[in-house]
Amino acid sequence: MKLLAAFSLLVSSKLTLATFPSCRCVYGDKCWPSATQFTQLESKLSQPLIYPRPSGAVCYPTSNPSGNCSGLVDTWTDGNWRADQPGAMEAPNFETYAFKNGTIDACYANVTLGVPCGQGSVPVIGVDARGVADIQAAVQFAVKYDVRLVVKNTGHDYLGRSAARGAFVVWTHNMKNITYNASFVPQGAPSHETYNAITLGAGVQWHEAYAAANAQGRIMVGGASAGGSVGAAGGWVLGGGHSALSPTYGLGVDNVVEMTVVLSTGEYLTVNSHQHPDLFWAMRGGGGGTYGILTSVTYRTYPSLPVQAALFSANATNPTVMNTLMTELMRIHPALSDAGWSGYGSASNSSLFFAYMKPNGTVAQLNESFHSFVVFAQNLTSQGLSIVTKPVYEDTWYEFYSTYLSGGVENGGNTMLGSRLIPRETLEKNSKELTNILLPINLSWNFVAGGKVSKIDPNSAGVNPAWRKAIIHLTFGIAWPFGASSQEIDGMIDILKAKEKALRDLTPESGAYFNEASLYEENWQYTFFGTHYPALKAIKDKYDPHGLFVVAEGVGSEDWDSDLNCRKWW
């Protein structure tokens, strides 16, 4: 009877199947805009339309008559080169597309695999945005023709949010304006509310932002990556934004003074604590590609400081010895956090490394904090452990960053991450269990919470409240060779899921960092956003009435199918 009543209601309301939301238009559909319609869009833009190709396409004669990709080998793992290509992702597995039957559409740089170069999940056409008007024109076009839209800055994304098969892309990478203002007043704020601040366009990367701040004798809370290639005013801050300076000054979102954004309605808003405070709250940690297209961010800056650092590395042939050392290191992190240290580390069954720093620190403070751990490690040398310790002092944080935090390789391999925010209590009471879960696989950790991060009101921004109880953000991952089958990849994903479950069981009330996490988290709404999710969803619905901005496991994505192209109505 209830079903009949519901059907009668549909009929009496004159509703038909056409009333229900349809699927977004993607390339190849009959509804895809015509060449003429794209030409009309192009006439409104400052730049020609772009036609992105996968990063390996240069190796194929159809895209390069010489078919010579020797130069590509030299740049393949360069994050800044990848950011400069509208179709390249940091992890090229997100350039591929897996069909339900297990076949994979991809463009591998290794031509000896004998696989044709396909478009995969790389958007087929888009806008090279250089200003707000370009973005507004792109958004209005996407709404008018109901096309699948994605937003891409640098493509440094472990959830594949910068790509979608057959989509239309807004590429913000070339919005490079940087403005420093020692007495910045947010729009709508009283004149006495001033900040020593720097405003970054959406395409500015951290190496550019740090250099600009350093030129003013200032520092700012920002990310660490090879070459500083991660975007400073995009997904990094929209997801929360962690930094080696976070324990001193807070997360990236805690240092945002103002943002500007284009909504799906085409409106251009300036948001801060005085104007549209609900949207300002949501965009500080509620996830990128969700509420609108970010066009600029204004951050607080701080006076430049010297840095005392401790570099430590260890190697062991016996996994049990490394387990013992790692357990002790995890155990002492609460004390290190209280003493003002932060930084990054990595470990496996046979090796361990960390680079920890303390702004305005001294050698005496370094010795006080690390002496007992070094003695602990020295006592294991009789069991085959070898260690190297190195104290480092730099006159400025910028010098420390440039020397120790911006080197290495920025991916270029098929990678998926899992992560967990590890609370103080777990480190104090369950460091052994934590090590047992993690050490059999290669892992990294970001010692970027605690300190100031833990002292800020969890409800002051939309970022996951689990950050406020954490000290460490752990990451672990899987990788596979180019040309691997869907079955092989699924086997690796099962390993990732098992580690995620073990960490959830150990830290059931914690969560994960949305920007460096897995597509396979259970209850992702809570895992990534915690108790803030209902409020974030309401704000999303308010400011994106067209439902234009949809990303994997982003706020509101549960309303869409697995490809994020068709709305669910049941």
Side-chain angles (χ1 to χ4, degrees), residues 187-268:
Q187 195 172 108
S191 59
H192 61 79
E193 185 182 324
T194 63
Y195 300 87
N196 193 307
I198 191 166
T199 300
L200 309 177
V204 175
Q205 293 163 272
W206 278 118
H207 70 91
E208 297 162 329
Y210 288 148
N214 185 64
Q216 302 293 336
R218 308 291 290 183
I219 60 176
M220 57 190 300
V221 174
S225 63
S229 54
V230 169
W236 180 85
V237 67
L238 292 169
H242 65 68
S243 168
L245 290 172
S246 288
T248 305
Y249 300 117
L251 295 170
V253 294
D254 301 324
N255 286 276
V256 175
V257 176
E258 188 168 272
M259 294 173 159
T260 58
V261 59
V262 173
L263 305 182
S264 64
T265 59
E267 293 175 273
Y268 173 60

Side-chain angles (χ1 to χ4, degrees), residues 108-337:
Y108 300 123
N110 183 358
V111 297
T112 65
L113 293 171
V115 178
C117 177
Q119 188 74 7
S121 289
V122 176
V124 296
I125 191 170
V127 170
D128 177 4
R130 303 298 176 98
V132 171
D134 287 339
I135 295 177
Q136 288 176 313
V139 165
Q140 289 163 355
F141 180 87
V143 170
K144 180 178 180 179
Y145 295 104
D146 201 22
V147 297
R148 175 70 192 281
L149 177 95
V150 296
V151 183
K152 180 179 184 288
N153 183 351
T154 64
H156 286 65
D157 195 320
Y158 291 106
L159 291 171
R161 296 169 296 183
S162 301
R165 184 171 178 80
F168 171 67
V169 63
V170 176
W171 190 37
T172 63
H173 178 59
N174 290 311
M175 296 177 67
K176 297 286 190 179
N177 290 339
I178 299 177
T179 305
Y180 173 75
N181 188 339
S183 54
F184 179 85
V185 179
Q187 195 172 108
S191 59
H192 61 79
E193 185 182 324
T194 63
Y195 300 87
N196 193 307
I198 191 166
T199 300
L200 309 177
V204 175
Q205 293 163 272
W206 278 118
H207 70 91
E208 297 162 329
Y210 288 148
N214 185 64
Q216 302 293 336
R218 308 291 290 183
I219 60 176
M220 57 190 300
V221 174
S225 63
S229 54
V230 169
W236 180 85
V237 67
L238 292 169
H242 65 68
S243 168
L245 290 172
S246 288
T248 305
Y249 300 117
L251 295 170
V253 294
D254 301 324
N255 286 276
V256 175
V257 176
E258 188 168 272
M259 294 173 159
T260 58
V261 59
V262 173
L263 305 182
S264 64
T265 59
E267 293 175 273
Y268 173 60
L269 299 183
T270 298
V271 300
N272 53 45
S273 59
H274 302 278
Q275 297 184 163
H276 311 287
D278 55 345
L279 183 57
F280 185 55
W281 179 86
M283 291 181 66
R284 287 180 295 132
T290 299
Y291 307 94
I293 300 181
L294 187 66
T295 59
S296 73
V297 181
T298 301
Y299 292 99
R300 292 179 175 88
T301 67
Y302 300 91
S304 182
L305 296 171
V307 166
Q308 181 68 60
L311 308 186
F312 178 93
S313 63
N315 291 279
T317 56
N318 185 340
T320 301
V321 174
M322 188 56 68
N323 186 294
T324 300
L325 182 66
M326 181 70 171
T327 298
E328 176 64 10
L329 180 60
M330 291 293 104
R331 187 191 68 81
I332 68 171
H333 269 90
L336 294 176
S337 176

Side-chain angles (χ1 to χ4, degrees), residues 524-542:
W524 57 264
Q525 290 94 333
Y526 180 82
T527 298
F528 295 145
F529 305 105
T531 54
H532 288 161
Y533 191 82
L536 292 169
K537 181 64 164 62
I539 294 168
K540 157 74 172 173
D541 292 342
K542 174 182 175 181

Side-chain angles (χ1 to χ4, degrees), residues 231-471:
W236 180 85
V237 67
L238 292 169
H242 65 68
S243 168
L245 290 172
S246 288
T248 305
Y249 300 117
L251 295 170
V253 294
D254 301 324
N255 286 276
V256 175
V257 176
E258 188 168 272
M259 294 173 159
T260 58
V261 59
V262 173
L263 305 182
S264 64
T265 59
E267 293 175 273
Y268 173 60
L269 299 183
T270 298
V271 300
N272 53 45
S273 59
H274 302 278
Q275 297 184 163
H276 311 287
D278 55 345
L279 183 57
F280 185 55
W281 179 86
M283 291 181 66
R284 287 180 295 132
T290 299
Y291 307 94
I293 300 181
L294 187 66
T295 59
S296 73
V297 181
T298 301
Y299 292 99
R300 292 179 175 88
T301 67
Y302 300 91
S304 182
L305 296 171
V307 166
Q308 181 68 60
L311 308 186
F312 178 93
S313 63
N315 291 279
T317 56
N318 185 340
T320 301
V321 174
M322 188 56 68
N323 186 294
T324 300
L325 182 66
M326 181 70 171
T327 298
E328 176 64 10
L329 180 60
M330 291 293 104
R331 187 191 68 81
I332 68 171
H333 269 90
L336 294 176
S337 176
D338 292 343
W341 295 91
S342 63
Y344 306 94
S346 61
S348 69
N349 270 328
S350 59
S351 65
L352 184 151
F353 171 79
F354 65 76
Y356 288 173
M357 53 155 273
K358 180 178 171 65
N360 260 344
T362 65
V363 172
Q365 291 170 330
L366 181 150
N367 291 333
E368 181 181 0
S369 295
F370 291 97
H371 175 73
S372 62
F373 176 74
V374 172
V375 170
F376 184 93
Q378 289 171 337
N379 288 337
L380 294 173
T381 56
S382 62
Q383 300 178 49
L385 184 74
S386 62
I387 64 172
V388 176
T389 62
K390 181 182 177 181
V392 170
Y393 184 85
E394 297 287 355
D395 290 331
T396 67
W397 180 87
Y398 183 71
E399 291 178 74
F400 176 75
Y401 161 80
S402 299
T403 304
Y404 297 101
L405 300 183
S406 64
V409 169
E410 192 63 64
N411 214 327
N414 297 316
T415 305
M416 284 190 186
L417 289 186
S419 73
R420 198 71 180 173
L421 294 165
I422 306 300
R424 168 184 288 266
E425 184 179 14
T426 301
L427 294 166
E428 291 174 337
K429 298 180 180 179
N430 301 106
S431 59
K432 182 65 175 177
E433 292 87 340
L434 181 64
T435 299
N436 289 342
I437 291 169
L438 290 169
L439 209 53
I441 61 172
N442 294 338
L443 71 138
S444 299
W445 62 91
N446 305 298
F447 183 17
V448 293
K452 183 66 176 289
V453 175
S454 65
K455 296 173 183 174
I456 293 174
D457 180 1
N459 295 316
S460 63
V463 71
N464 193 339
W467 271 106
R468 308 305 180 183
K469 294 183 179 180
I471 287 181

